[in-house]
Amino acid sequence: EPEVTQTPSHQVTQMGQEVILRCVPISNHLYFYWYRQILGQKVEFLVSFYNNEISEKSEIFDDQFSVERPDGSNFTLKIRSTKLEDSAMYFCASYGTSETQYFGPGTRLLVL
Amino acid sequence: AQSVTQLDSHVSVSEGTPVLLRCNYSSSYSPSLFWYVQHPNKGLQLLLKYTSAATLVKGINGFEAEFKKSETSFHLTKPSAHMSDAAEYFCVVSPYSGGGADGLTFGKGTHLIIQP
């Protein structure tokens, strides 16, 4: 069964550094998403992406965040200058024709 | 706009007894509703979904949920709990059959504890 994959599984970075989280969505899906889950809190929507541009973004997704689909398979989330409060689990998801968003296993980001 | 309220932050049941995880939703549209499960240190796995077909939805691992529009509820049930059901369960709402531009809206989660 096809699945969404994410790399790395864990990332530790220093405050102020840039990080790039990578996702490979399911190959025939057209909508892609990033969510985050701060420890002990609920999963929050960050951004949706369709046809090579952002479709919708939440108020969390400010100027320090960006997304890109650099080639036909990868979907990336870049955090330009990380803050302590960016520490969270980041989930990528993709959506096709089955009326379901499929989630990757997540990347746990720790900002020190 | 939509929102989800999971009425219990923790539910503890004995192995072999029924499970009930409660969820109420609010939506401006005819929503699609989902239950996802998250085992420790794992990603989010879809348990089941309601997308305007049958109101009683069966999912994986013996779980089912009933969509009740009059009560704006989508409670998750299982007749007999198993130790492997111990996990975090999220009730989720979407206005667009689970996709589209808008992201999913998650409840805060219910931590299911199974006592031996």
Side-chain angles (χ1 to χ4, degrees):
Chain A
E1 184 177 324
E3 58 183 20
V4 177
T5 60
Q6 291 184 242
T7 54
S9 59
H10 294 77
Q11 174 97 42
V12 181
T13 190
Q14 296 291 324
M15 190 171 53
Q17 294 296 304
E18 175 183 286
V19 295
I20 297 176
L21 310 183
R22 291 183 168 81
C23 168
V24 179
I26 295 172
S27 63
N28 60 348
H29 285 189
L30 298 178
Y31 270 99
F32 314 116
Y33 310 82
W34 283 101
Y35 295 81
R36 79 172 183 190
Q37 183 184 29
I38 295 172
L39 189 63
Q41 299 186 24
K42 65 179 179 179
V43 178
E44 301 172 290
F45 167 72
L46 292 178
V47 65
S48 61
F49 191 86
Y50 173 77
N51 200 25
N52 281 320
E53 60 183 25
I54 290 175
S55 296
E56 195 67 47
K57 58 184 181 179
S58 71
E59 58 189 24
I60 303 168
F61 194 88
D62 61 22
D63 291 344
Q64 69 163 337
F65 292 96
S66 63
V67 289
E68 190 178 36
R69 188 156 163 83
D71 52 42
S73 59
N74 289 284
F75 178 52
T76 62
L77 174 70
K78 182 191 290 186
I79 309 175
R80 253 178 282 281
S81 178
T82 50
K83 306 171 188 169
L84 296 177
E85 55 265 37
D86 294 327
S87 294
M89 179 75 95
Y90 288 81
F91 291 106
C92 173
S94 70
Y95 174 87
T97 57
S98 63
E99 299 180 322
T100 301
Q101 287 189 27
Y102 291 91
F103 285 80
T107 293
R108 187 171 295 282
L109 176 66
L110 178 61
V111 182
L112 301 176
Chain B
Q2 56 271 338
S3 66
V4 176
T5 302
Q6 291 185 242
L7 297 161
D8 306 291
S9 59
H10 292 79
V11 169
S12 179
V13 303
S14 297
E15 190 175 20
T17 64
V19 175
L20 170 64
L21 305 184
R22 299 182 294 165
C23 171
N24 287 104
Y25 70 92
S26 171
S27 178
S28 305
Y29 307 91
S30 294
S32 293
L33 292 157
F34 306 80
W35 278 96
Y36 282 85
V37 62
Q38 184 181 32
H39 287 93
N41 300 313
K42 299 286 187 184
L44 294 158
Q45 181 186 19
L46 178 71
L47 269 183
L48 49 78
K49 64 182 180 184
Y50 165 78
T51 54
S52 76
T55 56
L56 182 62
V57 182
K58 294 188 185 298
I60 61 172
N61 301 333
F63 284 94
E64 61 182 43
E66 186 171 8
F67 173 71
K68 292 187 176 180
K69 187 175 180 179
S70 61
E71 299 176 9
T72 60
S73 70
F74 190 58
H75 301 334
L76 181 71
T77 60
K78 182 173 180 178
S80 177
H82 191 272
M83 294 300 291
S84 61
D85 295 328
E88 192 82 13
Y89 291 79
F90 293 97
C91 184
V92 178
V93 65
S94 167
Y96 297 121
S97 297
D102 289 344
L104 302 175
T105 300
F106 281 72
K108 290 186 176 181
T110 297
H111 187 61
L112 178 61
I113 300 162
I114 310 297
Q115 305 281 2

